[in-house]
mmCIF file of all heavy atoms in Angstrom:
data_model
loop_
_atom_site.group_PDB
_atom_site.id
_atom_site.type_symbol
_atom_site.label_atom_id
_atom_site.label_comp_id
_atom_site.label_asym_id
_atom_site.label_seq_id
_atom_site.Cartn_x
_atom_site.Cartn_y
_atom_site.Cartn_z
ATOM 1 N N GLN I 98 47.222 20.490 -10.373
ATOM 2 C CA GLN I 98 48.555 20.902 -10.840
ATOM 3 C C GLN I 98 48.447 21.799 -12.064
ATOM 4 O O GLN I 98 49.161 22.808 -12.180
ATOM 5 C CB GLN I 98 49.392 19.655 -11.151
ATOM 6 C CG GLN I 98 50.898 19.914 -11.252
ATOM 7 C CD GLN I 98 51.672 18.631 -11.392
ATOM 8 O OE1 GLN I 98 51.267 17.743 -12.145
ATOM 9 N NE2 GLN I 98 52.781 18.529 -10.673
ATOM 10 N N LEU I 99 47.567 21.467 -12.992
ATOM 11 C CA LEU I 99 47.361 22.316 -14.170
ATOM 12 C C LEU I 99 46.824 23.682 -13.760
ATOM 13 O O LEU I 99 47.219 24.714 -14.324
ATOM 14 C CB LEU I 99 46.386 21.639 -15.137
ATOM 15 C CG LEU I 99 46.893 20.392 -15.885
ATOM 16 C CD1 LEU I 99 45.756 19.755 -16.663
ATOM 17 C CD2 LEU I 99 48.037 20.775 -16.826
ATOM 18 N N GLU I 100 45.919 23.709 -12.783
ATOM 19 C CA GLU I 100 45.347 24.972 -12.323
ATOM 20 C C GLU I 100 46.429 25.856 -11.700
ATOM 21 O O GLU I 100 46.439 27.078 -11.896
ATOM 22 C CB GLU I 100 44.243 24.697 -11.312
ATOM 23 C CG GLU I 100 43.481 25.944 -10.880
ATOM 24 C CD GLU I 100 42.362 25.631 -9.921
ATOM 25 O OE1 GLU I 100 42.199 24.444 -9.565
ATOM 26 O OE2 GLU I 100 41.648 26.570 -9.524
ATOM 27 N N GLU I 101 47.359 25.249 -10.949
ATOM 28 C CA GLU I 101 48.445 26.023 -10.343
ATOM 29 C C GLU I 101 49.383 26.600 -11.401
ATOM 30 O O GLU I 101 50.011 27.645 -11.192
ATOM 31 C CB GLU I 101 49.226 25.136 -9.376
ATOM 32 C CG GLU I 101 48.433 24.749 -8.131
ATOM 33 C CD GLU I 101 49.183 23.770 -7.264
ATOM 34 O OE1 GLU I 101 50.253 23.296 -7.720
ATOM 35 O OE2 GLU I 101 48.723 23.475 -6.144
ATOM 36 N N GLU I 102 49.468 25.923 -12.531
ATOM 37 C CA GLU I 102 50.312 26.408 -13.628
ATOM 38 C C GLU I 102 49.588 27.436 -14.491
ATOM 39 O O GLU I 102 50.138 27.919 -15.484
ATOM 40 C CB GLU I 102 50.766 25.231 -14.483
ATOM 41 C CG GLU I 102 51.676 24.246 -13.750
ATOM 42 C CD GLU I 102 52.012 23.037 -14.603
ATOM 43 O OE1 GLU I 102 51.550 22.992 -15.770
ATOM 44 O OE2 GLU I 102 52.720 22.134 -14.112
ATOM 45 N N GLY I 103 48.347 27.748 -14.133
ATOM 46 C CA GLY I 103 47.612 28.756 -14.889
ATOM 47 C C GLY I 103 46.860 28.206 -16.076
ATOM 48 O O GLY I 103 46.335 28.968 -16.890
ATOM 49 N N ILE I 104 46.835 26.927 -16.221
ATOM 50 C CA ILE I 104 46.133 26.307 -17.351
ATOM 51 C C ILE I 104 44.702 25.991 -16.908
ATOM 52 O O ILE I 104 44.484 25.126 -16.058
ATOM 53 C CB ILE I 104 46.848 25.024 -17.812
ATOM 54 C CG1 ILE I 104 48.294 25.341 -18.214
ATOM 55 C CG2 ILE I 104 46.086 24.368 -18.965
ATOM 56 C CD1 ILE I 104 49.097 24.114 -18.575
ATOM 57 N N THR I 105 43.751 26.704 -17.439
ATOM 58 C CA THR I 105 42.336 26.495 -17.073
ATOM 59 C C THR I 105 41.515 25.915 -18.214
ATOM 60 O O THR I 105 40.349 25.589 -18.036
ATOM 61 C CB THR I 105 41.709 27.820 -16.634
ATOM 62 O OG1 THR I 105 41.823 28.772 -17.705
ATOM 63 C CG2 THR I 105 42.410 28.352 -15.391
ATOM 64 N N HIS I 106 42.097 25.817 -19.370
ATOM 65 C CA HIS I 106 41.356 25.280 -20.520
ATOM 66 C C HIS I 106 42.298 24.449 -21.371
ATOM 67 O O HIS I 106 43.404 24.894 -21.705
ATOM 68 C CB HIS I 106 40.756 26.404 -21.361
ATOM 69 C CG HIS I 106 40.068 25.911 -22.608
ATOM 70 N ND1 HIS I 106 38.848 25.270 -22.584
ATOM 71 C CD2 HIS I 106 40.456 25.963 -23.918
ATOM 72 C CE1 HIS I 106 38.493 24.951 -23.814
ATOM 73 N NE2 HIS I 106 39.453 25.363 -24.644
ATOM 74 N N VAL I 107 41.859 23.278 -21.714
ATOM 75 C CA VAL I 107 42.613 22.397 -22.606
ATOM 76 C C VAL I 107 41.724 22.072 -23.784
ATOM 77 O O VAL I 107 40.618 21.553 -23.605
ATOM 78 C CB VAL I 107 43.028 21.091 -21.882
ATOM 79 C CG1 VAL I 107 43.761 20.165 -22.854
ATOM 80 C CG2 VAL I 107 43.900 21.401 -20.679
ATOM 81 N N PRO I 108 42.136 22.419 -24.987
ATOM 82 C CA PRO I 108 41.292 22.130 -26.154
ATOM 83 C C PRO I 108 41.046 20.631 -26.287
ATOM 84 O O PRO I 108 41.911 19.815 -25.988
ATOM 85 C CB PRO I 108 42.107 22.687 -27.334
ATOM 86 C CG PRO I 108 43.513 22.750 -26.824
ATOM 87 C CD PRO I 108 43.431 23.033 -25.371
ATOM 88 N N ARG I 109 39.854 20.315 -26.718
ATOM 89 C CA ARG I 109 39.494 18.913 -26.848
ATOM 90 C C ARG I 109 40.302 18.250 -27.948
ATOM 91 O O ARG I 109 40.502 18.805 -29.023
ATOM 92 C CB ARG I 109 37.999 18.800 -27.147
ATOM 93 C CG ARG I 109 37.456 17.388 -27.014
ATOM 94 C CD ARG I 109 35.978 17.334 -27.341
ATOM 95 N NE ARG I 109 35.764 17.661 -28.755
ATOM 96 C CZ ARG I 109 34.576 17.991 -29.268
ATOM 97 N NH1 ARG I 109 33.541 18.094 -28.462
ATOM 98 N NH2 ARG I 109 34.445 18.252 -30.541
ATOM 99 N N TRP I 110 40.694 17.039 -27.627
ATOM 100 C CA TRP I 110 41.474 16.291 -28.620
ATOM 101 C C TRP I 110 40.570 15.835 -29.750
ATOM 102 O O TRP I 110 39.435 15.423 -29.546
ATOM 103 C CB TRP I 110 42.120 15.073 -27.955
ATOM 104 C CG TRP I 110 42.867 14.189 -28.912
ATOM 105 C CD1 TRP I 110 44.147 14.340 -29.344
ATOM 106 C CD2 TRP I 110 42.367 13.019 -29.571
ATOM 107 N NE1 TRP I 110 44.490 13.348 -30.204
ATOM 108 C CE2 TRP I 110 43.407 12.500 -30.371
ATOM 109 C CE3 TRP I 110 41.142 12.357 -29.546
ATOM 110 C CZ2 TRP I 110 43.266 11.359 -31.145
ATOM 111 C CZ3 TRP I 110 41.016 11.224 -30.325
ATOM 112 C CH2 TRP I 110 42.065 10.724 -31.124
ATOM 113 N N ALA I 111 41.095 15.974 -30.952
ATOM 114 C CA ALA I 111 40.363 15.518 -32.137
ATOM 115 C C ALA I 111 41.264 14.588 -32.921
ATOM 116 O O ALA I 111 42.467 14.861 -33.076
ATOM 117 C CB ALA I 111 39.934 16.708 -32.997
ATOM 118 N N PRO I 112 40.770 13.497 -33.394
ATOM 119 C CA PRO I 112 41.601 12.540 -34.151
ATOM 120 C C PRO I 112 42.019 13.139 -35.488
ATOM 121 O O PRO I 112 41.302 13.956 -36.069
ATOM 122 C CB PRO I 112 40.668 11.345 -34.331
ATOM 123 C CG PRO I 112 39.303 11.928 -34.303
ATOM 124 C CD PRO I 112 39.368 13.076 -33.337
ATOM 125 N N PRO I 113 43.208 12.791 -35.955
ATOM 126 C CA PRO I 113 43.638 13.276 -37.276
ATOM 127 C C PRO I 113 42.759 12.691 -38.361
ATOM 128 O O PRO I 113 42.219 11.588 -38.200
ATOM 129 C CB PRO I 113 45.079 12.760 -37.381
ATOM 130 C CG PRO I 113 45.120 11.567 -36.478
ATOM 131 C CD PRO I 113 44.184 11.878 -35.344
ATOM 132 N N PRO I 114 42.538 13.437 -39.406
ATOM 133 C CA PRO I 114 41.689 12.906 -40.496
ATOM 134 C C PRO I 114 42.291 11.633 -41.073
ATOM 135 O O PRO I 114 43.486 11.577 -41.367
ATOM 136 C CB PRO I 114 41.648 14.046 -41.508
ATOM 137 C CG PRO I 114 42.876 14.859 -41.207
ATOM 138 C CD PRO I 114 43.105 14.758 -39.738
ATOM 139 N N ALA I 115 41.518 10.635 -41.171
ATOM 140 C CA ALA I 115 41.978 9.351 -41.690
ATOM 141 C C ALA I 115 41.784 9.322 -43.195
ATOM 142 O O ALA I 115 40.793 9.833 -43.713
ATOM 143 C CB ALA I 115 41.213 8.220 -41.035
ATOM 144 N N PRO I 116 42.732 8.746 -43.880
ATOM 145 C CA PRO I 116 42.575 8.641 -45.339
ATOM 146 C C PRO I 116 41.411 7.738 -45.689
ATOM 147 O O PRO I 116 41.133 6.766 -44.995
ATOM 148 C CB PRO I 116 43.909 8.018 -45.784
ATOM 149 C CG PRO I 116 44.407 7.288 -44.577
ATOM 150 C CD PRO I 116 43.969 8.104 -43.401
ATOM 151 N N THR I 117 40.735 8.115 -46.721
ATOM 152 C CA THR I 117 39.567 7.351 -47.159
ATOM 153 C C THR I 117 39.907 6.573 -48.415
ATOM 154 O O THR I 117 40.050 7.155 -49.496
ATOM 155 C CB THR I 117 38.380 8.286 -47.453
ATOM 156 O OG1 THR I 117 38.125 9.080 -46.289
ATOM 157 C CG2 THR I 117 37.136 7.485 -47.816
ATOM 158 N N PRO I 118 40.072 5.261 -48.269
ATOM 159 C CA PRO I 118 40.357 4.462 -49.476
ATOM 160 C C PRO I 118 39.200 4.548 -50.463
ATOM 161 O O PRO I 118 38.057 4.727 -50.083
ATOM 162 C CB PRO I 118 40.519 3.040 -48.925
ATOM 163 C CG PRO I 118 40.786 3.225 -47.461
ATOM 164 C CD PRO I 118 40.070 4.473 -47.069
ATOM 165 N N SER I 119 39.558 4.407 -51.707
ATOM 166 C CA SER I 119 38.547 4.565 -52.748
ATOM 167 C C SER I 119 37.527 3.441 -52.756
ATOM 168 O O SER I 119 36.422 3.625 -53.203
ATOM 169 C CB SER I 119 39.231 4.627 -54.130
ATOM 170 O OG SER I 119 40.015 3.449 -54.322
ATOM 171 N N HIS I 120 37.946 2.250 -52.262
ATOM 172 C CA HIS I 120 37.009 1.113 -52.337
ATOM 173 C C HIS I 120 36.678 0.573 -50.950
ATOM 174 O O HIS I 120 36.451 -0.601 -50.783
ATOM 175 C CB HIS I 120 37.614 -0.029 -53.180
ATOM 176 C CG HIS I 120 37.929 0.398 -54.589
ATOM 177 N ND1 HIS I 120 36.943 0.642 -55.519
ATOM 178 C CD2 HIS I 120 39.114 0.636 -55.196
ATOM 179 C CE1 HIS I 120 37.507 0.996 -56.673
ATOM 180 N NE2 HIS I 120 38.821 1.006 -56.500
ATOM 181 N N SER I 121 36.668 1.430 -49.955
ATOM 182 C CA SER I 121 36.315 0.964 -48.604
ATOM 183 C C SER I 121 35.554 2.039 -47.872
ATOM 184 O O SER I 121 35.599 3.199 -48.246
ATOM 185 C CB SER I 121 37.584 0.605 -47.811
ATOM 186 O OG SER I 121 38.375 1.764 -47.624
ATOM 187 N N LEU I 122 34.892 1.630 -46.829
ATOM 188 C CA LEU I 122 34.122 2.576 -46.043
ATOM 189 C C LEU I 122 35.050 3.437 -45.213
ATOM 190 O O LEU I 122 36.140 3.020 -44.842
ATOM 191 C CB LEU I 122 33.168 1.819 -45.121
ATOM 192 C CG LEU I 122 32.065 1.029 -45.823
ATOM 193 C CD1 LEU I 122 31.265 0.232 -44.793
ATOM 194 C CD2 LEU I 122 31.149 1.959 -46.608
#
Side-chain angles (χ1 to χ4, degrees):
Q98 197 173 43
L99 290 173
E100 186 178 2
E101 291 175 352
E102 295 175 1
I104 302 175
T105 58
H106 176 74
V107 178
R109 192 181 65 196
W110 176 84
T117 305
S119 57
H120 300 288
S121 64
L122 294 175

